[in-house]
Amino acid sequence: MPAITATAPGKIILFGEHAVVYGQPAIAVPVNQVRARAVISARPDQPRGWIHLQAPDIGLENNWGNLPRDHPLIVIIKGVLNAAGIDQPPALTVRVTSTIPIAAGLGSGAAVSVAIIRALSEFLGRPFSDNEISQLAFEVEKLHHGTPSGIDNTVITYEKPIYFIKDSIEKPGKKEVFPVSKPFTIVIGDTGTPSPTAAVVRDVREAWQRDRITFESLFESTGGIVNQARAAIETGDNTALGPLMNENQDILENISVSSGKLAQLIQSARQAGALGAKLSGAGRGGNMIALATREPAGEIANALSTAGATSTIITTVNG
Ligand code: PMV
């Protein structure tokens, strides 16, 4: 049997992170320049039920029986076997590689899940629908993040710009794929500081519990920004996105999820001519994004590198 390969992109949240956990809409887009890749190969020399895992990026190579049951890769594979109703699969090797930086707000965990689920379900002869893939990846996200909104698994499964509203903790949420009237360019800059999403989301929850009135109002304002951004993208009024990004960043600073390094990169992107800039994802570290319509994106990327970004990606958002 030939090896089965599937890949999944990274993602950025353009508008609405954190507020989305509290029921407000958010907009996310795939980032195709970075991807996770899963290759499933048959091992006819081994008995049924034998599974070997290779994840060279994290230095992992082992038989699955030797790994803890709650290891994220085991949870993903078990989830696929359960959903496919297969107890003892034919012997196989799962190899995962990824160019998506870890804990950087680019969706690396969800992309690894989606790539494995897609490849393994196909290998088993039961290819899952996008809906099933997203739902299963959401279950794994809960292990990483505790209370994820479901936006990462959704945008990474469907690989299209999405407007997303969280559902319950049982379901991955409601997505609308919407038209991008005119493509626009985003420059992504990495602070190089890993920032585990779960910790930041927990801090925001504690702050919200202490002062619900202020936080609800900040989240509602974020929802307003997201709706204006969607309208601007749909009508091709891309320059309007810049000020909206800046407004969203002000709110993210107010809820204490920015950082000195993020602020420095955001400032340097704006000085280099970006129409707007903000953090993307959980914040505290990870990545920031800048809208590059007026200036060549390369100049903004250079300015970000000079200001200390450890890597930059230039990506175009289109329908
Ligand atoms: O850091 P990321 O890319 O996983 O994004 C987290 C986005 C949050 O809104 C902060 C959390 C969530 O589950 O939506």
Side-chain angles (χ1 to χ4, degrees):
M1 182 191 237
I4 303 283
T5 300
T7 68
K11 73 95 203 8
I12 45 173
I13 297 181
L14 283 185
F15 293 95
E17 48 275 274
H18 288 291
V20 69
V21 176
Y22 298 82
Q24 296 294 333
I27 294 173
V29 299
V31 176
N32 288 306
Q33 286 81 354
V34 283
R35 294 189 84 88
R37 178 185 172 90
V39 182
I40 318 290
S41 324
R43 287 294 302 268
D45 54 322
Q46 297 292 340
R48 275 193 95 82
W50 185 91
I51 299 179
H52 187 69
L53 293 167
Q54 297 175 333
D57 301 334
I58 53 166
L60 184 148
E61 165 133 29
N62 216 330
N63 288 349
W64 91 323
N66 297 332
L67 290 170
R69 295 293 87 186
D70 59 352
H71 189 285
L73 292 178
I74 300 287
V75 174
I76 299 166
I77 293 167
K78 275 189 125 176
V80 176
L81 295 177
N82 284 346
I86 292 175
D87 206 28
Q88 292 275 303
L92 56 90
T93 293
V94 178
R95 182 178 174 84
V96 197
T97 49
S98 173
T99 54
I100 309 172
I102 294 169
L106 290 180
S108 102
V112 164
S113 299
V114 167
I116 295 178
I117 296 166
R118 215 183 266 293
L120 184 56
S121 66
E122 195 180 325
F123 178 88
L124 296 169
R126 317 261 174 94
F128 294 166
S129 66
D130 282 345
N131 192 25
E132 288 170 307
I133 292 171
S134 186
Q135 173 74 52
L136 204 46
F138 180 59
E139 298 305 319
V140 183
E141 287 287 284
K142 285 190 217 167
L143 290 179
H144 294 303
H145 292 347
T147 54
S149 61
I151 193 168
D152 280 22
N153 49 280
T154 306
V155 66
I156 287 168
T157 300
Y158 289 89
E159 300 196 29
K160 293 206 167 75
I162 57 159
Y163 174 92
F164 179 87
I165 298 177
K166 178 186 161 169
D167 201 317
S168 63
I169 194 70
E170 275 78 45
K171 293 201 213 131
K174 170 170 150 328
K175 64 147 203 332
E176 285 169 30
V177 176
F178 66 97
V180 176
S181 180
K182 261 197 251 162
F184 55 94
T185 301
I186 295 283
V187 185
I188 306 170
D190 195 342
T191 60
T193 313
S195 176
T197 302
V200 189
V201 170
R202 194 180 48 239
D203 286 355
V204 172
R205 182 164 299 277
E206 280 168 16
W208 167 77
Q209 276 161 349
R210 284 194 297 273
D211 185 358
R212 286 192 190 218
I213 292 175
T214 305
F215 274 72
E216 290 294 344
S217 138
L218 291 168
F219 293 150
E220 256 172 53
S221 306
T222 305
I225 292 170
V226 172
N227 287 329
Q228 288 178 66
R230 175 178 174 166
I233 295 170
E234 282 186 337
T235 55
D237 185 11
N238 292 346
T239 52
L241 297 175
L244 291 170
M245 282 167 92
N246 293 340
E247 272 180 54
N248 196 164
Q249 173 62 18
D250 287 346
I251 294 178
L252 291 162
E253 280 170 20
N254 270 323
I255 63 170
S256 295
V257 296
S258 197
S259 71
K261 184 86 184 273
L262 279 166
Q264 197 183 333
L265 296 186
I266 289 165
Q267 177 70 5
S268 66
R270 289 175 185 157
Q271 275 166 0
L275 293 180
K278 63 182 276 294
L279 67 84
S280 179
R284 296 263 165 87
N287 278 275
M288 49 69 67
I289 57 175
L291 178 67
T293 299
R294 207 172 53 200
E295 285 293 312
E299 281 179 30
I300 295 169
N302 286 343
L304 287 173
S305 300
T306 307
T310 52
S311 66
T312 58
I313 297 170
I314 298 173
T315 189
T316 300
V317 179
N318 50 44

